[in-house]
Amino acid sequence: LNKLVLSRIDQLDDKLKHILQRASVIGRHFHYHTLQTLQQKLNDHVPLDHLLAELISHNFIQPNPIEKDTYVFRHVITQEVAYNTILFSNKKILHSLIAEIIEENYTENKSDLLYELAYHYDKAENYNKAVHYLGIAAEKAKEEYNNEVALNQFKRLLKHIENANYFGAISNNFPSCYLTTSNYQTMPKMALISKYSYKSSSSKFSQCIYRF
């Protein structure tokens, strides 16, 4: 099936293929304004409306009936295959630009997009921003008793912190990190996220560490 989807994508002309690839980096669901702004940041001024209409006619995407000016990939495998056709270095650039677009243009509902910001900066390997938003996203999920999401965010955060190269990304005012859950099927009974300080010659870092 992947080969079939890849074959269909390869048959697209470059303009359509680029739009499909960039949309795939935004996510399964993507907003018209986000994609349009991404095009502008890339100095690509092709007529977006026409290209999206073509991708709809080819059954790659469809308008989202629930949210205005939003599109969705008809099949998740299409998004995944399109995403995997992008060079790793280009993915990092696109994720970084998309995160910047969200920060700059969606300030009013930024709190609803914390997971997206954490995801895109994580993929962009912007460690300062990734750690910042992963921490806030984890705290938000914890406060909403969304333990599974919170644990996932904390695990991604821990992955960064455990690598010595990422120490510089931890800020002094890192949010308090703890998680309580009664769902022992998804989290070991003895799981504990504790907070301690790491001191260097120039900075003091607060870190969240899992102990099982």
Side-chain angles (χ1 to χ4, degrees):
L1 186 57
N2 283 30
K3 290 182 179 180
L4 179 61
V5 175
L6 180 59
S7 175
R8 292 188 62 220
I9 292 175
D10 285 340
Q11 291 174 23
L12 297 173
D13 65 40
D14 287 343
K15 291 180 181 179
L16 279 173
K17 187 175 181 180
H18 290 157
I19 293 297
L20 191 69
Q21 288 174 321
R22 292 163 188 172
S24 75
V25 181
I26 298 173
R28 175 80 189 279
H29 298 77
F30 60 95
H31 199 281
Y32 177 91
H33 176 71
T34 305
L35 184 58
Q36 184 184 52
T37 309
L38 179 61
Q39 290 289 97
Q40 293 169 354
K41 283 181 174 285
L42 294 168
N43 292 317
D44 191 341
H45 304 290
V46 296
L48 187 57
D49 290 13
H50 173 69
L51 294 176
L52 289 174
E54 282 201 56
L55 289 174
I56 291 171
S57 69
H58 287 298
N59 291 318
F60 284 109
I61 63 172
Q62 64 186 27
N64 187 344
I66 301 174
E67 188 175 354
K68 184 180 178 182
D69 295 329
T70 303
Y71 298 83
V72 57
F73 280 84
R74 289 182 65 89
H75 305 287
V76 66
I77 193 170
T78 303
Q79 182 211 352
E80 291 173 351
V81 172
Y83 183 83
N84 289 332
T85 61
I86 308 171
L87 292 174
F88 178 74
S89 57
N90 289 340
K91 285 178 187 175
K92 287 173 59 178
I93 293 170
L94 291 171
H95 279 295
S96 181
L97 290 173
I98 292 164
E100 289 175 9
I101 290 167
I102 295 173
E103 279 190 317
E104 294 166 1
N105 296 274
Y106 297 93
T107 54
E108 291 184 2
N109 59 340
K110 191 175 177 179
S111 63
D112 296 327
L113 298 169
L114 291 172
Y115 304 129
E116 286 82 356
L117 283 164
Y119 169 77
H120 287 299
Y121 276 126
D122 200 9
K123 290 292 185 180
E125 296 185 1
N126 182 330
Y127 303 126
N128 287 298
K129 293 280 191 175
V131 165
H132 174 71
Y133 284 113
L134 282 170
I136 297 175
E139 284 283 304
K140 182 175 185 287
K142 180 204 68 180
E143 290 170 1
E144 296 172 348
Y145 299 99
N146 194 341
N147 293 330
E148 195 169 333
V149 172
L151 184 58
N152 179 57
Q153 300 297 312
F154 277 128
K155 282 182 176 179
R156 286 167 60 193
L157 179 58
L158 180 65
K159 175 184 167 185
H160 288 306
I161 293 173
E162 284 184 328
N163 189 323
N165 294 328
Y166 301 164
F167 277 147
I170 312 301
S171 64
N172 287 323
N173 59 350
F174 192 81
S176 60
C177 296
Y178 61 92
L179 182 66
T180 58
T181 177
S182 59
N183 188 349
Y184 297 121
Q185 292 180 338
T186 60
M187 188 176 184
K189 289 184 180 180
M190 299 304 294
L192 171 67
I193 301 171
S194 63
K195 184 178 180 182
Y196 73 95
S197 296
Y198 172 85
K199 295 183 179 180
S200 71
S201 58
S202 59
S203 305
K204 178 180 177 182
F205 307 114
S206 292
Q207 304 172 26
C208 295
I209 300 297
Y210 288 96
R211 292 179 180 176
F212 298 96

